[in-house]
């Protein structure tokens, strides 16, 4: 039997079965009336591919009728009561369906299920319901993005109607859509076939709603506000230096917000049985007031969003569709400054300006599905996405000529505003360059050919991604921070001991250049789903990837061709009835290089740091007074000129890839209860990252006979950061002979002292569901461990979202002690959610999430007196205290290991709702009250892991070490009303 296989990010599904040889099966879409036929082969097998998700009716020429449903990315099995008379297709409402023709790990939610559950109205909140997903380790930096299977939050793929909408700039965002337009959401946590790649974590795939033969209209309104929320907890500093300033590390108790979100939709046939439309308009009235220590802001947002979906059937076998999404979002922002000496007032002070911040854009997708013969079909797609990263209007104001400045003389940790700049806009853009915008264009062509017991798929896809980047600098072109030595014994500043009473200032300038950076990724694949035995499916696939990242001149600086990713799998229908499945799969997965890496590594980016003697500062301008001699060396982190491609990327660079093995089983009991278990093993076999040190090159040149001073001078011409495969030899072009000529040089890995990129994940997942006439429940328990020396594409501890260019491998000293349990390692995770209807009018819902704590580390500054620092002292002195060199309360530094300081507390969260559907409204109206965090358990989500404060050249113990920096979001109430007719 040729399997009815569907792919990981597909927006369509399939159905398959066995009847009498030569029998004709007619399949009719219950929503659109479109019918298709298939003739059973000599073995009695038949299948339908390219089916839109929804309800169907199957009729067999020899007799028999069955009603069933199709889910995107899955096959609906057909079981026979009588091989010549009746087809019975069993539909299931399970979120983890038993699909014996698939080797994937899939969780599926349809819109009716999502509407009934107390879950956030966004894709990430829904993804968190799936087994193997956990909340990320730094919600303040990454919002509610999820970690899947031990990966970082920047290694997932996001799809809308089969089009990849992941933002390749940093991989930590995606094109959104109005949630009421979602018909079905899939979460693929592993095992997907060769047709797709470019992700190491998982895939979140959405299919939108579509028009039907019946006109439908409706709308919804949702309201939430701070008046319907418990008070959040402030976090006060316990640092004695901060007490005089009444300083909080987190202050949110006075913040207020309100949001009214409403949608209207229309759906129906433009031409019956031929042309259908679904259109939705979403509007909002969102307001927020946020109060800080000395500043505050007021933000409003009334941006509309919308979606249009068109489906046209030229014939039942030729389907064209268009999806258009508008998701531009504009925040109208007003900024305020407290009166002098007034802190944490919970009120707006004097207006200091306002601007509009616009993000988002639009998505357009064209698709074609064609059933050319009973055994051969093709599909084609073109998609375009445009996304503003953050357009400011006005981009700056007259205060953009004022320098950024703070008074830290009385308290070195304090940042007391001085001068005339806008504290809410500390950088100014290159106004002569276009807005920061990401554009993706993607094309793909796929074919499917049924040959007896083989289902062969093959295809090609290509995507062009460009990121325009406006250069920036600090407002006024400088950042001054003013200090005074108040220690009786003096203080060492930038390597120089200053006596007590000395006034001094630090000058920083951050500069990035402007440019357009492009990526071109391509892939081809072939795969075979072979029904080796009536109850055994064997899957094999091969994918070839190519990645090409270019600098702003269009020259490739990181290119990799013909990266081979094999996939293997099997699915055993133990009893041949679709009720018991044993499956296994293994595969290799690659992830592309982000365009942020193009900007940071092949563009101009640097920070200058200089210290000066002063006599004080001018409070009106923030500029130093009596500026004197320079203190210590000038420090430069970065490069003032764009590097040559061969000088920034190691020749033969291999992108990051991971091997995965999954083994599992599922069983459906006679009662309808299903239970499953699977074990997942993932191993990152190769990683890439930037390396931002030059001492290894100095040491290598000295070993070749170059004088120390000459080697240091030559190393100064090497780009400040280089893209490498950690733990492997580096091949870069630079002048190593002092003859003015750059040549390729191979530097052995031993000079860098970097370990290989390591991350391993092992889990066992138990999942199941059960339902009755008026109730349903789903649950899972995951036991897992994630260990290595790097989290992945981001660094949650630091909140660093520079995908593939975090500080982890900038210098070997950052890897000292780096191996251990990783930030997304939550050993135990329990999930339970479901609904119960005590009457025909009332439905109750619950959603329980319980997770054990994340590992804690002790971080501090790199010891600049370590002999390995060498030439890189100036560069490393600009880093924050983010190594595993821990500063004890006694002022002594010791090397610790990642995760060695215990774990955060367990997190418990219960969300609940009650839905009321009054009989008098004839099922058209629903009122819902949803309570998030029912018991208001404001547990600690994050602790301060910085053991030291100050700078690398002058630091002291941080009293706030291991103090809370984030609690759970407090209890809140959301009110929802829906009307459909």
């Amino acid at each position: 039997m040729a399997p009815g296989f569907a792919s990981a990010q597909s927006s369509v599904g399939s159905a398959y079965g066995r009847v009498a040889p030569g029998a004709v099966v007619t399949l009719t879409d219950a929503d659109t009336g479109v019918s298709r036929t298939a003739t059973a082969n000599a073995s009695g097998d038949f299948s339908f591919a390219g089916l839109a998700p929804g309800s169907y009716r199957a009729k067999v020429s020899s007799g028999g009728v069955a009603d069933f449903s199709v889910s995107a990315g899955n096959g609906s099995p057909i079981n026979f009561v009588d091989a010549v008379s009746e087809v019975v297709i069993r539909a299931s409402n399970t979120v983890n369906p038993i699909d014996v023709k698939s080797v994937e790990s899939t969780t599926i939610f349809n819109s009716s299920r999502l509407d009934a559950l107390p879950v956030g109205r966004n894709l990430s909140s829904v993804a968190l319901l799936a087994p193997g997903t956990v909340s990320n380790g730094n919600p303040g930096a990454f919002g509610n993005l999820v970690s899947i299977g031990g990966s970082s939050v920047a290694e997932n793929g996001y799809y809308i109607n089969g089009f990849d909408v992941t933002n390749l700039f940093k991989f930590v965002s995606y094109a959104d859509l109005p949630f009421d337009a979602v018909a079905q959401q899939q979460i693929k946590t592993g095992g997907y076939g060769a047709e797709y790649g470019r992700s190491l974590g998982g895939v979140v795939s959405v299919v939108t709603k579509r028009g039907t033969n019946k006109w439908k209209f409706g709308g919804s309104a949702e309201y939430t506000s701070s008046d319907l929320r418990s008070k959040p907890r402030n976090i006060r500093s316990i640092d004695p230096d901060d007490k005089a300033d009444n300083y909080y590390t987190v202050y949110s108790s006075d913040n207020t917000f309100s949001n009214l979100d409403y949608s209207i939709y229309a759906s129906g046939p433009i031409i019956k049985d031929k042309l259908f439309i679904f259109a939705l308009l979403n509007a909002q009235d969102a307001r927020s007031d946020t109060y800080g220590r000395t500043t505050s802001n007021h933000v409003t947002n009334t941006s509309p969003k919308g979606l249009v979906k068109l489906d046209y059937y030229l014939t039942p076998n030729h389907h064209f569709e268009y999806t258009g999404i508008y998701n531009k979002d504009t925040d109208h922002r007003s900024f305020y400054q407290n009166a002098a000496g007034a802190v944490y007032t919970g009120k707006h002070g004097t207006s200091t300006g306002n601007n509009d911040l616009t993000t988002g854009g639009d998505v357009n997708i064209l698709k074609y599905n064609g059933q050319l013969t009973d055994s051969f079909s093709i599909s084609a797609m073109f998609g375009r996405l445009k996304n503003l990263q953050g357009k400011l209007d006005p981009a700056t104001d007259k205060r953009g000529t004022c320098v950024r400045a703070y008074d830290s003389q009385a308290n070195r940790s304090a940042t007391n505003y001085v001068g005339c700049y806008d504290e809410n806009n500390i950088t100014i853009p290159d106004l002569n360059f276009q807005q920061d915008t990401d554009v993706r264009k993607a094309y793909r062509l796929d074919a499917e050919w049924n040959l007896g017991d083989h289902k062969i798929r093959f295809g090609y896809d290509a995507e062009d991604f460009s990121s325009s980047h406006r250069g920036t600098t600090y407002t006024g072109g400088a950042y001054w921070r003013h200090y005074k030595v108040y220690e009786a014994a003096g203080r060492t500043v930038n390597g120089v001991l200053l006596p007590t009473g000395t006034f001094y200032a630090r000058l920083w300038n951050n500069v990035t250049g402007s440019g357009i950076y492009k990526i071109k990724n391509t892939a081809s694949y072939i795969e075979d789903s072979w029904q080796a035995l009536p109850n055994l499916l064997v899957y094999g696939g091969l994918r070839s990837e190519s990645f090409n990242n270019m600098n702003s001149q269009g020259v490739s600086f990181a290119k990799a061709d013909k990266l081979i990713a094999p996939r293997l799998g099997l699915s055993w229908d133990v009893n041949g009835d679709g009720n018991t499945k044993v499956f296994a799969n293994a595969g290799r997965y690659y992830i592309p290089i982000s365009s942020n890496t193009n900007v940071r590594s092949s563009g101009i980016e640097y920070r200058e740091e200089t210290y000066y003697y002063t006599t004080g500062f001018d409070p009106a301008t923030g500029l130093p007074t009596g500026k004197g001699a320079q203190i210590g060396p000038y420090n430069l982190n970065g490069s003032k000129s764009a590097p040559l491609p061969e000088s920034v990327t190691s020749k033969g660079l291999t992108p990051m890839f991971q091997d995965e093995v999954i083994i599992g089983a599922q069983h459906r009991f006679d009662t309808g209860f299903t239970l499953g278990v699977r074990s997942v093993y993932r191993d990152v076999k190769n990683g890439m990252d930037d390396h931002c040190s030059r001492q290894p090159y100095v040491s290598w040149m000295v070993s070749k006979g170059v004088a120390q001073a000459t080697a240091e001078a030559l190393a100064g011409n090497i780009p400040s950061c280089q893209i490498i495969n950690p733990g492997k030899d580096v091949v870069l072009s630079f002048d190593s002979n002092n003859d003015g000529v750059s040549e390729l040089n191979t530097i052995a890995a031993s000079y860098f002292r970097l370990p290989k990129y390591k991350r391993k994940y092992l889990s066992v997942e138990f999942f199941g569901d059960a339902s009755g006439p008026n109730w349903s429940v789903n649950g899972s328990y995951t036991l897992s461990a994630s260990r290595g020396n790097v989290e992945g594409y981001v660094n949650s501890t630091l909140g660093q979202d520079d995908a593939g260019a975090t500080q982890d491998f900038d210098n070997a000293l950052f890897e000292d002690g780096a191996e251990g349990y990783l930030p997304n390692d939550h050993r135990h995770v329990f999930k339970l959610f479901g609904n119960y209807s005590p009457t025909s009018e009332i439905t109750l819902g619950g959603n329980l999430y319980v997770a054990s704590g994340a590992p804690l580390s002790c971080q501090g500054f790199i010891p600049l007196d370590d002999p390995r620092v060498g030439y890189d002292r100036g560069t490393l002195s600009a880093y924050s205290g983010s190594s595993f060199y821990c500063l004890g309360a006694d002022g002594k530094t010791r090397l610790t290991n990642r995760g060695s300081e215990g774990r955060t507390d367990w997190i418990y969260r219960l969300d609940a709702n009650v839905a009321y559907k009054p009989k008098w409204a004839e099922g058209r109206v629903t009122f819902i009250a949803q309570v998030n965090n029912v018991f208001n358990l404001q547990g600690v989500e994050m602790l301060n892991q910085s053991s030291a404060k100050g700078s690398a050249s002058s630091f002291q113990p941080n009293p706030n070490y291991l103090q809370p920096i984030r609690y759970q979001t407090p209890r809140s109430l959301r009110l929802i009303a829906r009307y459909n007719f």
Side-chain angles (χ1 to χ4, degrees):
M1 181 189 299
F5 182 78
S7 59
Q9 292 88 353
S10 177
S11 60
V12 295
S14 63
Y16 52 88
R18 177 173 292 166
V19 291
V24 176
V25 179
T26 301
L27 194 69
T28 302
D29 187 325
D31 293 323
T32 64
V34 175
S35 296
R36 289 167 53 182
T37 61
T39 303
N41 63 19
S43 300
D45 301 326
F46 71 91
S47 66
F48 293 91
L51 300 178
S55 300
Y56 289 82
R57 168 162 288 192
K59 291 185 178 181
V60 187
S61 58
S62 55
V65 176
D67 295 318
F68 67 102
S69 61
V70 169
S71 298
N74 280 270
S76 294
I78 299 172
N79 298 309
F80 305 102
V81 172
D82 186 317
V84 295
S85 62
E86 186 176 7
V87 178
V88 177
I89 304 180
R90 297 182 179 177
S92 174
N93 290 321
T94 61
V95 299
N96 298 107
I98 299 178
D99 182 359
V100 296
K101 305 304 179 187
S102 172
V103 298
E104 298 177 345
S105 299
T106 308
T107 303
I108 301 174
F109 296 92
N110 59 35
S111 59
S112 60
R113 190 71 193 278
L114 294 177
D115 287 344
L117 288 172
V119 63
R121 306 287 289 172
N122 58 79
L123 306 187
S124 294
S125 293
V126 176
L128 192 59
L129 297 174
T133 64
V134 297
S135 300
N136 77 73
N138 192 335
F142 305 122
N144 67 343
L145 292 175
V146 299
S147 165
I148 301 178
S151 68
S152 77
V153 297
E155 295 165 31
N156 302 325
Y158 299 87
Y159 290 77
I160 297 176
N161 287 344
F163 174 55
D164 189 346
V165 295
T166 316
N167 191 326
L168 287 185
F169 183 67
K170 289 186 176 181
F171 290 90
V172 291
S173 64
Y174 50 85
D176 210 350
L177 78 167
F179 195 77
D180 278 345
V182 174
Q184 191 177 99
Q185 179 173 335
Q186 306 169 65
I187 304 95
K188 304 283 187 180
T189 56
Y192 40 90
E195 182 179 0
Y196 289 93
R198 301 184 187 132
S199 65
L200 305 185
V203 169
V204 177
S205 181
V206 165
V207 177
T208 63
K209 293 177 180 176
R210 60 191 178 119
T212 68
N213 260 334
K214 182 179 180 181
W215 279 104
K216 299 177 183 178
F217 305 90
S220 67
E222 301 183 21
Y223 178 74
T224 186
S225 80
S226 50
D227 292 333
L228 303 176
R229 179 204 63 182
S230 298
K231 281 282 187 181
R233 299 178 63 173
N234 295 329
I235 303 174
R236 192 159 186 167
S237 171
I238 63 171
D239 188 338
D241 290 341
D242 293 334
K243 285 185 177 179
D245 295 296
N246 192 30
Y247 194 82
Y248 290 92
T249 56
V250 175
Y251 182 77
S252 55
S253 60
D254 285 327
N255 296 345
T256 63
F257 67 90
S258 66
N259 185 41
L260 175 61
D261 186 281
Y262 43 98
S263 299
I264 57 172
Y265 76 88
S267 170
I270 299 175
I271 303 174
K272 189 175 181 180
D273 295 342
K274 281 283 188 179
L275 179 61
F276 308 90
I277 186 172
F278 174 87
L280 182 144
L281 177 64
N282 173 250
Q284 61 179 321
D285 183 1
R287 302 171 184 272
S288 68
D289 293 276
T290 304
Y291 302 95
R293 181 173 175 272
T294 59
T295 63
S296 61
N297 64 67
H298 173 70
V299 180
T300 62
N301 190 322
T302 56
S303 303
K305 300 180 178 67
L307 176 142
V308 174
K309 176 72 160 55
L310 293 171
D311 291 88
Y312 174 61
Y313 290 85
L314 178 65
T315 71
N317 290 326
H318 298 279
H319 176 201
F320 298 85
E321 58 182 283
Y322 165 76
T323 307
I325 301 170
Y326 179 82
N327 57 16
K328 190 173 288 187
D329 210 44
T330 299
D331 284 338
H332 307 286
R333 312 188 302 175
S334 300
F335 305 101
Y336 304 88
Q337 181 76 42
N338 292 354
V343 297
Y344 304 115
T345 64
K347 298 179 181 179
H348 293 306
T350 303
S351 174
T352 57
N354 53 73
N355 61 33
D356 292 345
L357 176 65
T358 302
T359 58
D362 57 75
V363 179
N364 292 276
I365 310 166
L366 290 170
K367 293 183 67 178
Y368 164 72
N369 285 290
Q371 190 76 36
L372 303 186
T373 71
D374 278 355
S375 62
F376 189 75
S377 62
I378 63 170
S379 64
M381 184 195 71
F382 168 75
R384 182 182 184 273
L385 178 155
K386 184 177 182 180
N387 175 70
L388 281 170
Q389 291 183 24
K391 174 187 174 184
L392 278 177
D393 184 20
T396 186
D397 58 22
K398 61 182 180 181
R399 291 178 298 164
T401 60
C402 298
V403 300
R404 182 188 184 192
Y406 290 115
D407 171 16
S408 302
Q409 290 182 351
N411 177 359
R412 201 169 291 115
S413 300
T415 51
N416 296 304
Y417 173 94
V418 292
C420 54
Y421 70 101
D422 181 358
E423 196 170 5
N424 294 290
N425 294 287
I426 61 174
T427 61
I428 55 176
D430 177 358
L431 300 180
N432 296 316
F433 198 75
Q434 69 185 65
Q435 298 289 339
D436 288 3
T437 305
D438 300 318
V439 178
R440 174 193 239 119
K441 295 180 181 178
Y443 320 78
R444 69 174 303 126
L445 180 66
D446 301 277
E448 181 179 301
W449 194 8
N450 288 309
L451 292 174
D453 292 328
H454 295 266
K455 183 175 208 175
I456 299 172
R457 294 179 58 86
F458 53 92
Y460 173 83
D461 78 270
E463 60 179 13
D464 297 316
F465 189 91
S466 67
S467 292
S468 59
H469 176 72
R470 270 186 168 185
T472 61
T473 186
Y474 280 126
T475 174
Y479 168 21
W480 287 96
R481 191 159 176 181
H482 304 285
Y483 299 99
K484 181 181 179 181
V485 178
Y486 45 74
E487 292 87 351
R491 178 176 176 81
T492 300
V493 175
N494 203 26
V496 178
L497 179 63
L498 304 183
T500 186
T502 301
F503 290 93
Y504 67 98
R506 184 193 70 194
L507 171 63
W508 269 5
N509 193 19
N510 263 19
V511 176
T512 63
S514 299
I516 298 177
Y517 302 84
K518 297 183 177 181
I519 296 175
K520 186 174 181 64
N521 297 328
T522 62
S524 57
Y525 76 95
I526 185 169
E527 60 185 24
D528 180 13
S529 297
W530 172 38
Q531 197 69 48
L533 297 171
N535 61 344
L536 178 65
L537 172 77
V538 178
Y539 169 81
L542 200 63
R543 179 178 176 87
S544 177
E545 302 253 23
S546 294
F547 303 140
N548 186 5
N549 290 58
M550 291 164 267
N551 63 18
S552 57
Q553 285 77 47
V555 179
S556 299
F557 81 93
K559 187 176 183 180
D561 292 317
K562 299 178 182 178
L563 303 170
I564 303 302
R567 313 280 167 84
L568 297 170
L570 60 87
S571 175
W572 177 30
D573 182 2
V574 177
N575 299 315
D577 57 4
N579 287 325
T580 305
K581 170 185 173 182
V582 175
F583 62 97
N585 59 71
R588 173 164 291 183
Y589 300 85
Y590 285 88
I591 192 167
I593 301 171
S594 73
S595 62
N596 177 60
T597 302
N598 300 34
V599 175
R600 294 201 60 194
S601 299
S602 69
I604 298 173
E605 181 178 337
Y606 63 89
R607 174 190 285 178
E608 300 173 291
E609 179 186 68
T610 317
Y611 289 83
Y612 293 97
Y613 291 99
T614 69
T615 59
F617 61 88
D618 182 347
T621 65
L623 294 170
T625 58
K627 179 183 171 185
Q630 181 175 310
I631 302 172
Y634 161 80
N635 301 316
L636 176 67
N637 187 351
S639 174
K640 292 188 175 183
S641 59
L644 296 172
E646 60 270 23
S647 69
V648 73
T649 306
S650 181
K651 185 177 181 180
L653 180 83
T654 303
M656 184 174 173
F657 68 86
Q658 174 178 270
D659 288 346
E660 174 188 83
V661 177
I662 300 177
I663 300 173
Q666 288 178 269
H667 178 71
R668 181 189 297 112
F669 295 88
D670 292 340
T671 59
F673 171 64
T674 66
L675 183 66
V677 60
R678 60 177 166 253
S679 179
V680 180
Y681 175 72
R682 290 175 160 184
D683 186 1
V684 173
K685 292 295 187 180
N686 183 78
M688 52 140 285
D689 212 309
D690 64 339
H691 173 261
C692 300
S693 301
R694 295 185 175 112
Q695 180 58 41
Y697 304 99
V698 173
S699 299
W700 177 77
M701 285 186 279
V702 169
S703 74
K704 301 297 181 183
V706 179
Q708 179 76 25
T710 302
E712 291 182 355
L714 293 173
N717 297 320
I718 298 173
S720 58
C721 293
Q722 318 92 44
I723 308 299
I724 68 170
N725 292 128
K728 296 184 179 181
D729 293 350
V730 174
V731 182
L732 282 185
S733 177
F734 59 92
D735 178 10
S736 62
N737 300 314
N738 201 24
D739 58 4
V741 179
S742 293
E743 59 275 320
L744 280 177
N745 302 282
T746 301
I747 300 93
S750 58
Y751 285 95
F752 295 86
R753 300 190 178 96
L754 291 171
K756 290 185 177 180
Y757 203 110
K758 298 177 185 177
R759 188 182 75 198
K760 294 184 178 182
Y761 173 81
L762 178 63
S763 73
V764 179
E765 301 170 4
F766 300 90
F767 50 93
D769 57 75
S771 61
N774 61 342
W775 63 275
S776 65
V777 64
N778 298 83
S780 67
Y781 164 66
T782 301
L783 173 65
S784 66
S786 181
R787 186 177 176 87
N789 59 12
V790 59
E791 178 182 353
Y793 256 22
V794 300
N795 185 317
S796 292
T797 306
L798 304 181
Q800 187 178 9
D801 62 358
D802 296 306
T806 63
Q807 72 152 46
D808 294 272
F809 293 96
D810 284 6
N811 186 282
L813 278 82
F814 286 117
E815 278 300 304
D816 287 352
E819 187 159 352
Y821 291 109
L822 299 170
N824 293 313
D825 179 72
H826 295 268
R827 194 59 44 84
H828 308 280
V829 178
F830 301 86
K831 301 176 186 181
L832 189 68
F833 54 90
N835 299 98
Y836 169 62
S837 299
T839 73
S840 61
E841 293 182 298
I842 296 176
T843 299
L844 308 176
N847 180 13
L848 175 68
Y849 178 86
V850 179
S852 60
L856 291 169
S857 301
C858 183
Q859 298 206 311
F861 293 99
I862 280 180
L864 297 180
D865 57 355
D866 190 300
R868 293 173 293 173
V869 169
Y871 179 91
D872 298 312
R873 187 186 189 283
T875 299
L876 295 176
S877 66
Y879 281 84
S880 63
S882 49
S883 74
F884 295 97
Y885 284 92
C886 175
L887 182 65
D890 58 1
K892 295 181 179 179
T893 297
R894 72 185 193 280
L895 179 63
T896 59
N897 286 97
R898 182 194 296 272
S900 62
E901 306 304 303
R903 288 181 177 259
T904 59
D905 293 339
W906 282 63
I907 292 295
Y908 305 86
R909 188 185 69 242
L910 175 64
D911 302 332
N913 67 3
V914 56
Y916 173 54
K917 186 177 289 188
K919 290 181 179 179
W920 56 260
E922 298 178 342
R924 295 177 178 178
V925 177
T926 306
F927 300 101
I928 301 173
Q930 177 175 316
V931 180
N932 297 319
N933 193 1
V934 172
F935 297 109
N936 198 29
L937 299 174
Q938 297 187 41
V940 177
E941 289 186 329
M942 295 179 64
L943 296 176
N944 189 328
Q945 299 182 56
S946 299
S947 66
K949 65 177 185 176
S951 66
S953 57
S954 180
F955 54 82
Q956 60 192 95
N958 176 19
N960 287 314
Y961 171 59
L962 292 185
Q963 292 299 301
I965 55 176
R966 184 180 177 90
Y967 289 100
Q968 286 178 259
T969 303
R971 179 173 53 220
S972 63
L973 173 65
R974 180 182 297 269
L975 302 175
I976 305 169
R978 297 193 180 98
Y979 179 60
N980 298 285
F981 64 95

